[in-house]
Amino acid sequence: MRKILFFIGPIILLIIWWFLDVFEVIDRLYLPSLSEVSMSFMAIISSDGYLHIWATTYRAILGFVIAGVAAIPMGVLLGINKKIYQASEFIIDFFRSLPAPALFPLFLLFFGIGDNAKIAVVVFLAFWIILINTIYGVWNSSKLRQQVGLVFRASRFQIIKEIILPDALPQIFVGLRIALSLSLIMIVVTEMFIGTRIGLGQRIFDSYASYRIPELYSFILIVGLLGYIFNKVFIFFERRIIHWTEKY
């Protein structure tokens, strides 16, 4: 039954698209037919499309991983030590409030126009999301369980490892999941505006600039499918790591 329900959403979208095309509700200059987009999609996949998919995936995942490796330990430290958090609260709130696209010129100045600048933008965006969710996860850890651990003379390290981290993991994974989606969005934006030789964002912009509309829709479709795959793979690992929660 679940597999059948999965196809309902895509089928509805295709029916709406078909209806708009057949009855010419929207000019084909702005909304090409399904057949045109399908042929363009297959042409992209059978040519150099994989290079652009790989480039965008590599940049997004690398930036996301770097952010996670840096943010989670720092978030745990700030979460268990309120004084350190209070001392750095202004810095956290200031930088997490800055829109990452506004820092494009700064990242270009420091890292140039290569991959480093694009990855740095993703790291900046994802870092603060993961950091805040990690801090909140640590704060929401069961105080009663921590007290029980102290009664049984557990060390500080044991309390963090056996109580605080397991309690914080669901919230940490919420931050990771949000950060992963936004990492893909941000890397596509940086490819469009910072520029690159290969990448889905650049191809979207090139298709728009040259009015290759079926190709434009095809690359947008690829980005959407890539985001869907990211999300499903993440959920797969999340269910196995924090298997004690029932979210789905």
Side-chain angles (χ1 to χ4, degrees), residues 6-218:
F6 169 81
F7 290 101
I8 293 178
I11 290 172
I12 291 174
L13 287 176
L14 291 175
I15 291 173
I16 293 173
W17 194 340
W18 174 85
F19 177 86
L20 294 174
D21 176 45
V22 170
F23 293 95
E24 299 182 356
V25 178
I26 300 177
D27 193 311
R28 284 194 175 181
L29 177 63
Y30 307 110
L31 183 67
S33 66
L34 280 171
S35 59
E36 290 177 307
V37 174
S38 299
M39 288 187 291
S40 175
F41 182 88
M42 294 307 298
I44 291 169
I45 296 300
S46 61
S47 58
D48 62 346
Y50 69 95
L51 293 174
H52 302 286
I53 295 172
W54 164 248
T56 297
T57 301
Y58 160 75
R59 293 164 184 152
I61 295 298
L62 182 58
F64 169 75
V65 169
I66 293 172
V69 169
I72 292 175
M74 187 176 295
V76 172
L77 174 63
L78 293 172
I80 63 178
N81 194 315
K82 291 291 183 69
K83 291 183 179 179
I84 296 178
Y85 173 80
Q86 290 168 358
S88 57
E89 185 177 6
F90 172 79
I91 296 174
I92 295 172
D93 288 341
F94 177 83
F95 281 105
R96 78 186 183 98
S97 301
L98 286 174
L103 300 178
F104 283 172
L106 193 60
F107 286 114
L108 286 172
L109 179 65
F110 278 94
F111 299 103
I113 60 174
D115 279 358
N116 289 342
K118 301 176 185 64
I119 294 170
V121 175
V122 173
V123 172
F124 178 85
L125 174 69
F127 176 84
W128 302 109
I129 298 171
I130 299 170
L131 179 71
I132 294 299
N133 279 276
T134 301
I135 293 172
Y136 287 165
V138 172
W139 285 351
N140 291 328
S141 174
S142 172
K143 301 300 184 291
L144 177 60
R145 294 181 63 200
Q146 293 181 44
Q147 290 297 325
V148 171
L150 291 173
V151 169
F152 283 94
R153 298 183 180 181
S155 67
R156 185 61 172 164
F157 176 77
Q158 287 175 318
I159 290 175
I160 293 172
K161 178 184 176 183
E162 303 295 338
I163 299 174
I164 294 178
L165 277 180
D167 284 352
L169 271 179
Q171 185 66 42
I172 293 173
F173 269 81
V174 169
L176 289 170
R177 189 173 178 183
I178 295 171
L180 180 60
S181 297
L182 291 179
S183 294
L184 177 60
I185 294 170
M186 184 52 58
I187 205 64
V188 171
V189 172
T190 59
E191 289 171 350
M192 291 174 68
F193 292 101
I194 293 181
T196 182
R197 187 173 61 85
I198 57 174
L200 295 174
Q202 184 62 45
R203 291 306 301 271
I204 289 173
F205 185 81
D206 290 344
S207 301
Y208 157 77
S210 58
Y211 265 79
R212 300 193 301 270
I213 306 303
E215 184 177 295
L216 172 63
Y217 275 84
S218 297

